[in-house]
């Protein structure tokens, strides 16, 4: 909670007439800037009384990538807090600071605001310190503390998950988070998904964030870090009521809307990856000079499974059998004395790789002859593209949206995706960005991908629903004066995919689903 000192620091602020309409009331905000300086999991320090300025930037500002190569990813959220440092409280070298020696990166910070008109507390940002920048001199010293949200964590560590069969999307997301040790205190909010993936694994070659993007994009859902720090997945069928209703009279005059052709694509292409299971065969075999094992020592090999010369996972993997899948010999070509009985062996299967360790208990150096691993390879012999229109060659001056769905293995689902999204992308639709000042009851409740409604005569939008894809808050003259920018895009509707705006080729009440 905000301290009394922090509460008394703020005052009511009257706003100027740069909007279509003036604010009808004077707002008052009380801030909570809670730091876990000592890393014990408790927010013991509220630094609100020292905060001079704040900026927050989360989400994405573009619906698709510039060349149409898929959807724009959600960026790592960033928060910059400017604080008074007149007494060196935030100086990492200052041993007289009550925070010493804990002023460093990696500390958890929670930012919340209480709207005193409603009494509601809104989460604004949760992240960890990534940088601390001292500025100024003497009693005018300040410090800028930069926070980054959980996306930084997800984009820092690789994820490995063994082959899973018929796993739901939310369970797969949970396994990625579990593997990298997503902190329980950050939280997770994952929709229960009806989508099932026949074969899925995480090879360990990609960052956790990329694995999650591949999963969610394959089923056209959303994954993001919420304002309270929780890892959040919303399935494409997810819907809720409008969090706020925005009217042109409440907005600043600077309403932006991309040119009609920026997100216009008259060809939509989805790529699916059907996967098959091969009958038991060799998924790995050592090639080249046979590995030696010293007397009394061990040799470890890491096997990478493949089928048809392509990396793959395998199911029903057979632990290599001595004298069948490997032998040990005193000669590197296998022509010497058989020492297989004198070599102990351990094996660990990781789904698409395995660890083999051979320990030599004989009195001579031995060689492991042609070790191999058998199993049922799970492989993608081909990929299939589904397009709208069915014959892209019929389109004059094609502008394509291409979306690779790496974990979508059902061609019929992809066909449904194309039949719905293709006509939408071939139409012209608003993707507005709107700005507000001095209206905390409208500025702070929405989180990423929440639903809002917008009415704007200037844009010809009448009560149309959007998802909030980008949020930027920036303090102005004080911590009582804020400008907020919402970037908006079409939203996912109940039991279906898109609910269209009135300018669409479909009726505004049309709902599509599977």
């Amino acid at each position: 909670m905000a301290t009394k000192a922090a509460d008394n620091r703020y005052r009511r602020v009257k706003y100027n007439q740069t909007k279509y309409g003036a604010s009808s009331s004077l707002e008052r905000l009380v801030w909570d800037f809670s730091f876990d300086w000592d890393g014990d999991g408790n927010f013991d320090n509220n630094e609100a009384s020292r905060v001079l300025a704040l900026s927050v930037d989360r989400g994405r500002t573009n619906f698709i990538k510039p060349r149409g190569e898929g959807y724009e990813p959600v960026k790592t959220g960033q928060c910059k807090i400017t604080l008074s440092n007149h007494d060196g409280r935030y100086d990492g070298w200052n041993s007289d600071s009550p925070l010493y020696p804990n002023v460093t990166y990696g500390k958890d910070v929670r930012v919340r605001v209480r709207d005193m008109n409603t009494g509601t507390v809104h989460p604004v940002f949760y992240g960890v310190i990534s940088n601390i920048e001292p500025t100024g001199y003497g009693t005018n010293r300040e410090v800028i503390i930069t926070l980054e949200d959980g996306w930084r964590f997800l984009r820092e560590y690789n994820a490995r998950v063994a082959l899973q069969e018929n796993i739901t999307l939310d369970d797969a997301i949970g396994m990625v988070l579990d593997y990298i040790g997503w902190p329980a205190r950050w939280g997770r909010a994952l929709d229960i998904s009806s989508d099932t993936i026949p074969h899925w694994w995480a090879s360990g070659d990609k960052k956790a964030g990329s694995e999650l993007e591949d999963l969610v994009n394959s089923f056209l859902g959303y994954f993001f870090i919420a304002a309270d720090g929780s890892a959040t997945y919303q399935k494409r069928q997810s819907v809720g009521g409008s969090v706020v209703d925005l009217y042109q009279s409440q907005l600043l005059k600077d309403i932006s809307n991309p040119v009609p052709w920026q997100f216009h694509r008259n060809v939509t292409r989805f790529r699916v990856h059907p996967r098959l299971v091969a009958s038991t065969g060799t998924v790995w075999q050592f090639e080249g000079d046979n590995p030696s094992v010293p007397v009394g020592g061990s040799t470890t090999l890491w096997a990478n499974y493949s089928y048809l010369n392509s990396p793959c996972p395998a199911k029903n993997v057979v632990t290599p059998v001595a004298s069948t899948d490997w032998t040990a010999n005193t000669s590197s070509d296998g022509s010497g004395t058989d020492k297989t009985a004198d070599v102990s062996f351990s094996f660990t299967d990781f789904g698409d790789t395995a660890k083999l360790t051979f320990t030599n208990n004989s009195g001579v150096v031995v060689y492991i002859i042609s070790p191999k691993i058998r199993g049922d390879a799970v492989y993608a012999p081909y990929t299939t593209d589904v397009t709208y229109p069915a014959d892209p060659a019929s389109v004059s001056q094609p502008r394509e949206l291409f979306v690779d769905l790496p974990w979508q293995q059902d061609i019929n689902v992809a066909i449904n995706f194309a039949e719905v999204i293709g006509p939408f992308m071939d139409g012209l639709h608003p993707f507005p960005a709107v700005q507000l000042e001095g209206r905390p009851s409208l500025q702070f409740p929405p989180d990423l991908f929440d639903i809002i409604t917008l009415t704007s005569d200037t844009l010809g939008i009448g009560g149309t629903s959007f998802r909030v894809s980008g949020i930027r808050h920036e303090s102005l003259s004080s911590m009582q004066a804020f400008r907020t920018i919402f970037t908006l895009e079409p939203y996912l509707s109940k039991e279906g995919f898109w609910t269209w705006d009135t300018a669409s080729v479909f009726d505004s009440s049309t709902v599509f689903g599977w």
Side-chain angles (χ1 to χ4, degrees):
M1 292 185 57
T3 63
K4 182 176 181 181
D7 195 346
N8 291 338
R9 175 176 178 269
Y10 300 123
R11 63 185 184 278
R12 300 186 178 199
V13 178
K14 184 175 291 187
Y15 295 87
N16 59 28
Q17 300 293 320
T18 60
K19 299 177 280 295
Y20 281 98
S23 176
S24 61
S25 63
L26 301 176
E27 280 75 25
R28 184 166 179 263
L29 304 176
V30 177
W31 288 90
D32 170 22
F33 289 84
S34 292
F35 284 68
D36 180 16
W37 287 115
D38 57 9
D40 66 355
N42 298 313
F43 289 108
D44 299 321
N45 298 92
N46 182 6
E47 307 290 341
S49 62
R50 290 173 171 261
V51 175
L52 305 173
L54 171 70
S55 68
V56 172
D57 194 6
R58 304 169 54 228
R60 63 188 181 196
T61 55
N62 290 302
F63 180 55
I64 60 176
K65 294 179 180 178
R67 296 184 179 179
E69 327 95 314
Y71 298 106
E72 185 79 8
V74 175
K75 62 190 173 188
T76 300
Q78 189 175 86
C79 174
K80 287 184 176 291
I81 309 170
T82 303
L83 304 99
S84 171
N85 193 32
H86 61 276
D87 55 358
R89 178 179 177 83
Y90 308 111
D91 185 344
W93 295 103
N94 182 13
S95 58
D96 292 329
S97 167
L99 303 178
Y100 185 85
N102 295 319
V103 178
T104 185
Y105 64 91
K107 305 295 186 177
D108 280 25
V109 182
R110 179 186 65 196
V111 180
R112 301 183 298 177
V113 63
R114 182 188 295 274
D115 181 350
M116 297 302 287
N117 283 348
T118 64
T120 305
V121 175
H122 302 291
V124 176
F125 196 89
Y126 189 115
V128 298
I129 297 174
S130 62
N131 197 16
I132 301 175
E133 306 169 74
T135 63
Y137 300 93
T139 57
N140 293 321
R141 283 183 295 174
E142 297 176 356
V143 67
I144 300 173
I145 297 180
T146 300
L147 316 177
E148 291 182 314
D149 68 12
W151 271 116
R152 179 183 182 182
F153 188 72
L154 294 171
R155 287 170 171 146
E156 199 165 76
Y157 301 105
N158 286 19
R160 175 182 291 281
V161 181
L163 177 67
Q164 306 293 314
E165 294 187 290
N166 298 317
I167 186 172
T168 60
L169 186 55
D170 54 299
D171 284 343
I173 292 171
M175 293 186 77
V176 172
L177 295 175
D178 291 342
Y179 181 85
I180 63 171
W182 181 264
R185 67 183 181 278
W186 293 0
R188 61 180 76 180
L190 309 179
D191 276 353
I192 297 175
S193 176
S194 59
D195 291 307
T196 300
I197 312 174
H199 306 286
W200 170 77
W201 70 96
S203 66
D205 295 332
K206 290 184 178 181
K207 302 301 181 185
S210 294
E211 293 286 1
L212 294 175
E213 287 170 342
D214 284 349
L215 277 167
V216 174
N217 288 342
S218 294
F219 297 88
L220 304 184
Y222 297 95
F223 182 86
F224 57 96
I225 306 303
D228 64 4
S230 58
T232 304
Y233 158 63
Q234 289 183 359
K235 58 187 178 183
R236 65 178 179 274
Q237 301 93 339
S238 176
V239 70
S242 177
V243 176
V244 296
D245 298 328
L246 300 180
Y247 298 89
Q248 183 168 293
S249 61
Q250 300 164 329
L251 307 175
L252 299 182
K253 293 181 179 179
D254 189 9
I255 301 175
S256 63
N257 190 31
V259 292
W261 54 87
Q262 180 169 334
F263 299 129
H264 173 251
R265 295 293 183 272
N266 52 13
V267 174
T268 295
R269 183 185 304 273
F270 289 108
R271 177 162 295 168
V272 296
H273 298 254
R275 286 176 168 83
L276 303 178
V277 179
S279 58
T280 301
T282 300
V283 295
W284 175 83
Q285 182 165 344
F286 189 84
E287 302 286 351
D289 295 336
N290 289 312
S292 63
V293 187
V295 176
S298 298
T299 294
T300 296
L301 304 176
W302 287 91
N304 298 306
Y305 301 163
S306 67
Y307 186 76
L308 300 178
N309 297 317
S310 296
C312 72
K315 57 184 289 188
N316 302 324
V317 172
V318 178
T319 299
V321 178
S323 299
T324 298
D325 297 308
W326 63 274
T327 58
N329 200 284
T330 56
S331 176
S332 62
D333 62 3
S335 63
T337 303
D338 189 330
K339 292 290 184 179
T340 304
D342 296 320
V343 174
S344 57
F345 170 69
S346 66
F347 175 77
T348 306
D349 171 38
F350 294 104
D352 60 341
T353 62
K355 179 182 178 182
L356 305 87
T357 300
F358 302 88
T359 302
N360 183 3
N361 302 309
S362 74
V364 296
V365 173
V366 300
Y367 296 87
I368 306 303
I369 308 301
S370 301
K372 66 180 178 180
I373 300 172
R374 291 171 290 139
D376 299 336
V378 178
Y379 68 109
Y382 54 82
T383 61
T384 302
D385 287 358
V386 176
T387 66
Y388 174 88
D391 180 13
S394 65
V395 176
S396 175
Q397 297 182 326
R399 287 167 52 84
E400 183 178 86
L401 168 64
F402 171 72
V403 183
D404 192 5
L405 310 175
W407 295 112
Q408 183 53 255
Q409 297 164 46
D410 189 329
I411 189 68
N412 292 314
V413 172
I415 290 171
N416 286 332
F417 285 176
E419 288 176 346
V420 173
I421 298 175
F424 173 75
M425 296 303 298
D426 196 19
L428 301 178
H429 311 281
F431 290 78
V434 299
Q435 301 186 33
L436 301 93
E437 285 183 13
R439 300 180 183 274
S441 63
L442 302 177
Q443 292 171 264
F444 296 108
D447 203 345
L448 287 178
F449 300 107
D450 277 345
I451 296 170
I452 70 168
T453 61
L454 174 64
T455 298
S456 169
D457 293 338
T458 299
L459 298 180
I461 297 173
T464 300
S465 297
F466 294 88
R467 281 194 185 269
V468 179
S469 59
I471 299 174
R472 178 173 177 79
H473 301 300
E474 185 172 11
S475 61
L476 301 174
S477 58
S478 75
M479 289 298 293
Q480 292 294 293
F482 273 81
R483 176 174 296 162
T484 297
I485 301 175
F486 291 135
T487 304
L488 308 178
E489 62 187 38
Y491 83 102
L492 297 169
S493 65
K494 184 177 182 181
E495 299 179 349
F497 200 69
W498 297 99
T499 294
W500 313 100
D501 60 65
T502 55
S504 169
V505 293
F506 296 103
D507 181 77
S508 61
S509 63
T510 302
V511 176
F512 293 86
W514 296 275

